[in-house]
């Protein structure tokens, strides 16, 4: 079966700094695609351009040149309303921290993307209940973020990221602030969402364990994609080992 | 090195500092303006023949000092909220606590001194401007007023520099005592609203009850006498506080149940308000009271002043009497609009002035319905027999004689009058007009002409105009002070509220940043900011207006229509308050709403 790409990136360049200031080229021509329902990881050393890439894919920043297409639409020219509507409809975010609004309950946090789209109250309630059941956080819905543990917060954040059925979920080191147990739970959850709800996932991480949950891993080196690893039919353990080996070759 | 780092921090947040400085400068300017009046004994004495005036000023001064303290406390917390993270970081990097303390102290004091000096200069300018406006536009006459007044400058400097010394010491101890980690995470503390319907209900009932007691106390000032004011102050303060905390929480909870909450960012705005209720109730209470005081001061001042024309009507049956009107005067009189004129003949024999009775039959001279205080100025005409009896004891009639000595008045029948053998027949012309205020310039010239021709030992002319001028002079001072007090309070309270709101901006930066990331349109974020701040401005404003409407009942024994000028003052107030609201939202939006894209 031929899969259609959800994200397709070509010739992406990003140079920081104004013309007359000191300039730094963080991305030097990136090309790749993410298919529908794929779980893709992006790895690379610190400063290699992972966050930069994610910011461009999610329209938080604009590329110097090149194009990013999401669901066949070029998103690099988006401005104003089109921009925010794209974010709220097509993308689900999970960040490392400041994920939730601490003045809203878990339920209200999850409902936020739907409220922004003007969905009716009854439908919102239904959708929130549904994701909450999937992620087994029904009993946390009426709590405020300060009453939740780090892992629980990320679950709520994940619920908010998928409640509006985005084209793709993006995470920038979402497990970065979690202990290993919670991190594992969140990764299992994301895999679950990816497999059962067929939502594509793009995960930025520098942790090999997190990366082993992906179907495919792109390694960024000095602003370019250097290597690509596919899980194929390997189990997670072998894939983890493969990733470690790959990282080892970088260090030499 | 540390000084350099600290200066770099200031440079980074230059706009925030500009906000802080501007606010403090305005506050110092307003305080100076007020101190200028309050410390000027000559001014207070010469402009208010009322012994209470100086007490009113001392009371006002104490209030203003209290507001200033609250104000500077808020401004200082704004400063601290901007800086504590930086300083926490410096300490974590190994800077000595004492050195940090020193820096903070100097920074605080420097900001204080700069804003005080600039504020005083601005205050002098504003005093000049405002007094010019009041003198020219309202026809007020005020003596002994100087825009530049040294005792006021000294008072302002003492208070402000003193307060900033205290703030500096406070900041120093706070930074030195607080553990570094806490300084770095100070913004993370949150307050979770608890749902307690029973407590809320009790609060609402108690709040309304207390407000009612306060309002009744003010309405019954005649029976309660001096007790009314402190009683009202305490009950209204407590009542407002309880009502605010209960009503806001209750209303937000109700709204959250509705469909409204699920639309756009409404839920977010409601949550923001809910979260801030506790820290806001106190300031909202203070603001509503100050709002009432300020509005009250202006309404009362303006009300008394506007009362002068009414008093002119109620103290005399006519506006002015003109003896032996000549051509010049006739010209002036014909320029007056909406007038009634009556002319009577007079013959003077020895020390007695005779009037032709028949003229009063043909054109009766109206008399005041009642001579009681606060009468409405309505007139009556009496049958001639009764008129003759009453008139000889009535000031309005006896005052019609030419003003060159003590004279007696007598009535004569038409034939007797015609038979009186005198060289000349005099006349007296009575003019009555409805709008004294609008035509006061012509009346003034008429009065001057009369004074030149008939120099009087005591009063210039008889009639309402003369009363008007007397009361106008008396009330001008009151109105001037009312406006000054009112605007001083308004400027201070609105700035207080502004700072309280702005000092919360730091926490909101993170929230709005997050909203931007998940794709919230900028319009929605702006609406959220406006909605939240509007609530915080509107609530105390509304309660303040209600307070004033009831509070003005205090003046019922002294004024015709205590609420007459309230509509106008409310309008002026809302405009000024609205300007503050606009500025606050603009600054807030700039502080918290992120750009849609980086480097955009
Ligand atoms: N706003 C910016 N202005 C200038 N240079 C920047 C900016 N943001 C990032 N950079 C530079 O671009 C390069 C890539 O940064 P990026 O944040 O994408 O790295 P990363 O791969 O996410 O690293 P990490 O794993 O540490 O998060 C770095 O060298 C960084 O210094
Ligand atoms: Mg990064």
């Amino acid at each position: 079966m031929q899969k259609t790409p959800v994200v397709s990136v070509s010739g992406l360049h990003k140079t920081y700094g104004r013309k007359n200031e000191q300039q730094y080229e963080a991305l030097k021509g990136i090309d790749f695609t993410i298919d529908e329902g794929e779980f893709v990881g992006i790895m690379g050393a610190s400063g290699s351009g992972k966050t930069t890439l994610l910011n461009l894919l999610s329209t938080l920043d604009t590329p110097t040149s090149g194009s990013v297409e999401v669901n066949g639409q070029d998103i690099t020219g988006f401005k104003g309303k089109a921009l925010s509507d794209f974010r709220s409809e097509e993308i689900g975010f999970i960040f490392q921290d400041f994920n939730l609004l601490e003045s809203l309950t878990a339920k209200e946090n999850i409902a936020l993307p739907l409220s922004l789209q003007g969905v009716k109250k009854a439908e919102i309630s239904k959708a929130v209940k549904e994701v909450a059941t999937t992620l087994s956080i029904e009993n946390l819905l009426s709590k405020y973020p300060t009453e939740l543990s780090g892992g629980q917060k990320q679950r709520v954040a994940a619920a908010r990221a998928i409640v509006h059925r985005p084209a793709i979920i993006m995470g920038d080191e979402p497990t970065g602030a979690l202990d290993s147990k919670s991190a594992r739970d969140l990764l299992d959850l994301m895999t679950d969402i990816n497999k059962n709800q067929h939502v594509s996932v793009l995960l930025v991480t520098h942790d090999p364990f997190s990366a082993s949950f992906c179907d495919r891993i792109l390694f960024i080196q000095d602003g370019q994609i250097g290597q690509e690893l596919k899980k194929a039919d390997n189990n997670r353990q072998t894939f983890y080992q493969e990733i470690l080996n790959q990282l080892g070759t970088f260090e030499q | 090195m540390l000084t350099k780092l600290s200066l770099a921090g200031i440079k980074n947040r230059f706009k925030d500092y500009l906000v802080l400085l501007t606010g403090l400068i305005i506050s110092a300017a307003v305080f100076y303006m007020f101190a200028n009046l309050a410390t000027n004994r000559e001014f207070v004495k010469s402009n208010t023949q009322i012994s209470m005036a100086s007490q009113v000023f001392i009371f006002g001064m104490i209030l203003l000092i209290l507001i200033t303290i609250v104000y500077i406390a808020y401004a200082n917390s704004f400063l601290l909220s901007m800086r504590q993270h930086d300083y926490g970081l410096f300490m974590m990097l190994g800077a000595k606590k004492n050195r940090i303390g020193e820096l903070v102290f100097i920074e605080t004091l420097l900001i204080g001194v700069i804003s005080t000096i600039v504020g005083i200069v601005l205050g002098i300018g504003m005093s000049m401007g405002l007094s010019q406006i009041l003198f020219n536009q309202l026809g007020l006459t005020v003596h002994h007023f100087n825009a530049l007044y040294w005792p006021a400058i000294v008072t302002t400097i003492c208070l402000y520099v003193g307060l900033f010394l205290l703030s500096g010491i406070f900041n120093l101890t706070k930074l030195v005592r607080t553990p570094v980690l806490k300084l770095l995470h100070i913004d993370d503390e949150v307050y979770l609203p608890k749902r307690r319907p029973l407590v809320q209900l009790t609060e609402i009932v108690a709040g309304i009850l207390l407000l009612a007691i306060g309002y009744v106390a003010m309405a019954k000032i005649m029976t309660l006498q001096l007790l009314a004011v402190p009683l009202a102050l305490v009950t209204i303060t407590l009542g407002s506080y309880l009502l605010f905390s209960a009503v806001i929480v209750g209303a937000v909870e109700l709204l959250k149940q509705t469909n409204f909450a699920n639309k756009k960012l409404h839920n977010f705005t409601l949550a923001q308000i809910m979260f801030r209720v506790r820290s806001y109730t106190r300031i909202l209470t203070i603001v509503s009271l100050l709002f009432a005081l300020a509005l009250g001061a202006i309404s009362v001042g303006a009300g008394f002043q506007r009362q002068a024309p009414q008093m002119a009507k109620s103290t005399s049956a006519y506006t002015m009497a003109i003896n032996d009107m000549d051509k010049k005067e006739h010209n002036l009189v014909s320029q007056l609009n909406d007038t009634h004129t009556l002319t009577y003949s007079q013959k003077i024999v020895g020390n007695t002035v005779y009037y032709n009775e028949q003229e009063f039959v043909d054109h009766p001279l109206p008399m005041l319905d009642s001579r009681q205080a606060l009468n409405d100025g309505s007139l009556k005409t009496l049958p001639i027999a009764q008129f003759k009896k009453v008139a000889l004891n009535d000031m309005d009639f006896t005052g019609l004689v030419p003003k060159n000595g003590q004279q007696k008045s007598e009535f004569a029948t038409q034939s007797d009058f015609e038979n009186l053998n005198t060289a000349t027949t005099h006349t007296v012309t009575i003019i009555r007009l409805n709008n004294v205020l609008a035509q006061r310039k012509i009346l003034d010239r008429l009065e001057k002409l009369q004074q030149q021709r008939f120099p009087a030992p005591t009063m210039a002319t008889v009639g309402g105009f003369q009363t008007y001028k007397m009361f106008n002079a008396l009330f001008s001072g009151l109105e001037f002070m009312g406006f000054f007090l009112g605007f001083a309070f308004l400027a201070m309270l609105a700035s207080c509220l502004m700072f309280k709101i702005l000092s919360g901006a730091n926490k909101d930066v993170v929230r709005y940043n997050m909203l931007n990331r998940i794709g919230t349109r900028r319009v929605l974020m702006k609406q959220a900011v406006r909605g939240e701040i509007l609530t915080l401005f509107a609530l105390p404003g509304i309660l303040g207006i209600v307070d004033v409407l009831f509070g003005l009942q205090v003046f019922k024994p002294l004024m015709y229509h205590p609420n007459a000028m309230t509509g106008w003052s409310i309008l002026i107030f809302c405009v000024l308050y609205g300007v503050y609201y606009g500025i606050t939202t603009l600054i807030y939006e700039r502080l918290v709403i992120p750009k849609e894209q980086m480097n955009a």
Side-chain angles (χ1 to χ4, degrees):
Chain A
M1 189 180 83
Q2 179 63 42
K3 286 183 178 169
T4 46
V6 175
V7 176
S8 95
V9 176
S10 66
L12 204 59
H13 283 263
K14 177 69 188 178
T15 306
Y16 285 116
R18 299 223 166 83
K19 285 238 168 66
N20 42 7
E21 290 168 12
Q22 196 186 352
Q23 292 195 326
Y24 180 82
E25 193 174 16
L27 297 182
K28 306 168 181 166
I30 299 238
D31 305 274
F32 69 92
T33 57
I34 299 175
D35 289 337
E36 202 183 304
E38 232 189 336
F39 194 145
V40 176
I42 293 184
M43 291 194 80
S46 184
S48 55
K50 302 184 296 290
T51 301
T52 305
L53 176 61
L54 201 70
N55 285 343
L56 296 182
L57 295 189
S58 59
T59 70
L60 285 176
D61 206 350
T62 44
T64 314
S65 68
S67 77
V68 178
E69 284 185 10
V70 175
N71 273 345
Q73 267 184 300
D74 187 354
I75 60 166
T76 50
F78 281 176
K79 289 259 170 323
K81 276 184 195 169
L83 190 76
S84 20
D85 289 354
F86 166 76
R87 281 181 204 159
S88 69
E89 282 160 22
E90 305 289 356
I91 298 185
F93 266 117
I94 313 178
F95 314 106
Q96 181 170 344
D97 46 18
F98 47 68
N99 256 312
L100 302 175
L101 291 167
E102 77 274 34
S103 52
L104 296 177
T105 60
K107 184 177 176 183
E108 290 161 348
N109 264 295
I110 298 172
L112 211 50
L114 295 178
S115 304
L116 289 179
Q117 291 173 20
V119 177
K120 291 219 178 64
K121 188 183 173 180
E123 276 173 58
I124 293 184
S125 282
K126 198 169 141 247
V128 172
K129 211 168 265 165
E130 233 174 75
V131 265
T133 320
T134 331
L135 309 196
S136 21
I137 49 168
E138 303 105 305
N139 52 341
L140 303 180
L141 285 181
S142 60
K143 295 200 169 177
Y144 284 94
T146 44
E147 300 168 313
L148 300 175
S149 74
Q152 288 171 332
K153 273 188 228 174
Q154 284 305 51
R155 277 174 169 270
V156 174
R160 190 189 57 199
I162 58 167
V163 73
H164 55 298
R165 311 209 158 267
I168 185 164
I169 297 181
M170 298 190 187
D172 192 355
E173 318 226 2
T175 56
L178 300 181
D179 62 63
S180 56
K181 164 86 172 65
S182 309
R184 205 201 156 108
D185 285 349
L186 183 66
L187 290 163
D188 280 333
L189 191 71
M190 288 175 75
T191 315
D192 199 50
I193 295 167
N194 172 247
K195 293 287 168 293
N196 297 330
Q197 320 229 351
H198 309 289
V199 183
S200 314
V201 179
L202 180 65
L203 181 70
V204 165
T205 181
H206 54 214
D207 164 36
F209 177 74
S210 302
S212 68
F213 284 77
C214 304
D215 299 330
R216 183 158 62 108
I217 297 172
L218 306 170
F219 290 89
I220 297 196
Q221 240 179 324
D222 300 327
Q224 281 177 314
I225 294 185
Q227 278 290 330
E228 196 180 313
L229 268 190
K230 282 192 179 156
K231 191 182 203 173
D233 295 328
N234 295 326
N235 67 11
R236 235 197 55 240
Q237 239 68 37
T238 355
F239 194 42
Y240 178 59
Q241 204 51 51
E242 241 180 89
I243 298 169
L244 283 182
N245 294 341
Q246 183 64 46
L247 290 176
T249 61
F250 286 142
E251 268 160 29
Q252 279 153 22
Chain B
M1 183 61 204
L2 210 49
T3 322
K4 244 190 196 163
L5 275 177
S6 154
L7 280 179
I10 295 182
K11 223 169 125 192
N12 274 339
R13 311 200 55 168
F14 183 69
K15 281 184 188 165
D16 296 346
Y17 274 88
L18 214 59
V19 172
L20 180 69
L21 276 177
T22 318
L24 288 171
I25 287 170
I26 289 174
S27 143
V30 167
F31 186 85
Y32 169 80
M33 284 167 76
F34 188 78
N36 188 352
L37 295 192
T39 54
N40 193 335
R41 287 253 171 94
E42 296 275 293
F43 167 79
V44 176
K45 247 195 240 154
S46 69
N47 288 293
T48 52
Q49 278 86 340
I50 305 165
S51 60
M52 286 271 284
S54 53
Q55 284 163 33
V56 168
F57 264 88
I58 291 170
F59 179 70
M61 188 87 174
I62 292 173
L63 262 175
L64 203 62
I65 289 177
L66 286 177
I67 306 169
T68 309
I69 293 174
V70 173
Y71 181 74
I72 291 187
Y74 280 132
N76 191 46
S77 80
F78 179 63
L79 175 70
L80 209 58
S81 77
M82 285 199 301
R83 299 297 276 160
Q84 57 200 0
H85 192 270
D86 278 7
Y87 282 124
L89 208 61
F90 295 165
M91 276 191 231
M92 210 171 70
L93 296 174
K96 284 212 186 75
K97 282 201 158 191
N98 287 341
R99 183 84 184 93
I100 296 277
E102 218 173 274
L103 270 179
V104 173
F105 183 78
I106 292 174
E107 186 180 331
T108 315
L109 202 60
L110 210 63
I111 287 176
V113 170
I114 293 174
S115 49
T116 312
I117 292 172
V118 181
I120 289 175
V121 173
L122 183 69
I124 294 172
M126 275 160 59
S127 296
M128 275 183 208
L130 187 57
S131 53
Q132 283 309 312
I133 291 175
L134 293 179
F135 296 156
N136 294 340
Q137 300 297 312
L138 300 171
L140 306 185
T141 46
V142 170
H143 305 287
H144 294 287
F145 178 79
N146 298 315
L148 194 152
Y149 189 65
W150 280 104
I153 295 181
V154 173
T155 316
T156 312
I157 289 180
C158 285
L159 180 74
Y160 272 75
V161 173
L163 283 176
F164 274 101
L165 269 174
L166 285 178
S167 311
I169 295 171
F170 173 82
N171 290 351
L172 184 155
T173 41
K174 176 135 195 226
L175 281 184
V176 171
R177 289 246 178 93
T178 316
V180 174
L181 266 182
K182 208 167 167 209
L183 280 181
L184 287 174
H185 295 288
I186 218 140
D187 290 344
D188 303 344
E189 289 165 20
V190 288
Y191 154 74
L192 293 183
K194 287 266 164 2
R195 270 152 243 198
R196 295 168 305 175
L198 208 70
V199 178
Q200 265 165 250
L201 199 71
T202 331
E203 276 180 338
I204 291 184
V205 173
I208 292 178
L209 226 64
L210 282 168
L211 278 182
I213 293 175
Y215 292 155
V216 169
M218 286 194 291
K220 297 261 181 261
I221 192 161
M222 286 306 259
T223 31
L224 288 171
Q225 298 284 330
L226 263 185
L227 191 66
V229 175
L231 183 68
L233 263 179
V234 171
T235 49
I236 291 181
T237 312
L238 268 176
S240 311
Y241 182 81
L242 290 174
L243 211 58
F244 273 134
S245 83
V247 164
I248 299 175
V249 174
V252 169
E253 264 167 18
L254 273 182
L255 278 175
K256 275 199 163 191
Q257 313 292 320
T258 65
N259 210 7
F260 170 85
N262 277 302
K263 296 242 174 69
K264 302 176 181 172
L265 279 183
H266 292 165
N267 229 335
F268 172 74
T269 311
L270 290 175
Q272 292 275 89
I273 294 169
M274 185 79 127
F275 250 62
R276 294 176 162 170
V277 154
R278 203 174 56 168
S279 66
Y280 276 132
T281 0
R282 252 167 292 154
I283 176 125
L284 292 186
T285 308
I286 297 175
V287 166
S288 77
L289 279 181
L290 288 178
F291 195 96
L293 282 173
L295 193 52
I298 291 184
S299 299
V300 169
F304 269 125
Q305 163 75 10
R306 292 298 163 277
Q307 187 155 300
Q310 173 74 28
M311 287 202 150
K313 270 193 206 162
S314 69
T315 50
S316 176
Y318 50 86
T319 310
M320 191 186 279
I322 297 168
N323 293 97
D324 290 334
M325 181 150 69
D326 62 15
K327 213 163 175 193
K328 238 180 176 175
E329 289 164 345
H330 185 80
N331 272 338
L332 284 172
V333 170
S334 58
Q335 287 172 33
L336 292 168
N337 299 321
D338 193 15
T339 45
H340 298 270
T341 50
L342 288 168
T343 303
Y344 301 104
S345 319
Q346 297 170 316
K347 284 187 175 176
I348 302 175
V349 180
N351 205 20
T352 309
V353 180
Y354 288 95
Y355 292 91
N356 183 351
E357 198 180 304
Q358 191 55 41
E359 288 180 6
F360 288 90
V361 176
D362 297 341
H363 307 284
L365 174 70
M367 306 188 84
L368 276 179
D369 227 348
S370 139
R371 277 215 172 269
Q372 276 176 344
L374 298 192
N375 74 65
D376 61 359
S378 64
L379 301 175
K380 62 185 173 191
T381 44
L382 297 176
I384 188 69
Q386 209 183 337
F387 174 78
K388 275 164 66 180
K389 256 190 254 154
V390 180
L392 294 178
N393 290 317
D394 187 87
M395 295 190 311
D396 282 347
F397 181 74
T398 54
L400 294 177
V401 298
K403 323 247 168 351
N404 39 18
Q406 293 292 323
Q407 287 145 321
K408 251 173 50 190
S409 304
E410 288 285 354
F411 286 99
T413 59
Q414 175 132 14
S415 52
D416 286 351
F417 187 78
E418 277 162 6
N419 288 336
L420 281 173
N421 206 0
T422 52
T424 48
T425 305
H426 298 270
T427 60
V428 62
T429 306
I430 285 153
I431 46 181
R432 181 156 60 85
L433 44 135
N434 272 324
N435 197 341
V436 178
L437 187 64
Q439 316 198 56
R440 65 178 192 278
K441 295 224 164 93
I442 300 176
L443 291 170
D444 255 335
R445 277 159 68 194
L446 271 173
E447 185 176 55
K448 279 232 177 67
L449 290 172
Q450 281 281 297
Q451 263 171 334
Q452 280 164 11
R453 292 202 292 141
F454 305 95
T458 47
M459 292 177 212
T461 48
V462 288
F465 185 60
Q466 180 265 131
T467 323
Y468 163 78
K469 285 185 46 164
M470 204 174 76
F471 281 113
N472 187 42
L474 180 69
F475 294 148
S476 284
L478 270 181
E479 178 172 22
F480 187 68
M481 285 181 238
F483 268 96
F484 246 79
L485 256 177
F487 287 121
F489 280 156
L490 179 67
M492 288 293 239
L493 73 90
S495 318
C496 261
L497 192 57
M498 189 168 128
F499 268 114
K500 175 68 189 163
I501 292 172
L502 287 181
S503 65
N506 271 341
K507 290 185 190 173
D508 272 356
V509 170
V510 182
R511 296 182 188 145
Y512 282 96
N513 195 4
M514 134 110 250
L515 285 176
N516 178 46
R517 282 180 171 221
I518 65 166
T520 311
R521 293 182 183 178
R522 271 175 83 85
V523 207
L524 289 188
M525 291 195 263
K526 282 189 181 170
Q527 277 173 10
V529 167
R530 284 174 204 158
E532 186 185 341
I533 298 180
L534 183 66
T535 314
L536 297 174
F537 265 82
L539 283 175
I542 293 169
L543 191 64
I545 289 174
V546 175
D547 284 350
V548 161
L549 292 180
F550 283 98
L552 287 177
Q553 302 311 313
V554 169
F555 294 93
K556 232 177 184 161
L558 299 174
M559 292 168 82
Y560 291 99
H561 309 292
N563 283 334
M565 285 307 290
T566 322
W568 282 109
S569 358
I570 289 178
L571 192 73
I572 298 175
F573 245 60
C574 289
V575 170
L576 287 175
Y577 201 59
V579 169
Y580 263 97
Y581 165 70
I583 296 174
T584 312
T585 13
L586 276 183
I587 298 176
Y588 208 81
E589 281 174 5
R590 201 189 54 66
L591 286 178
V592 303
I593 296 184
K595 287 182 190 151
E596 269 157 357
Q597 292 180 308
M598 303 170 200
N599 312 323

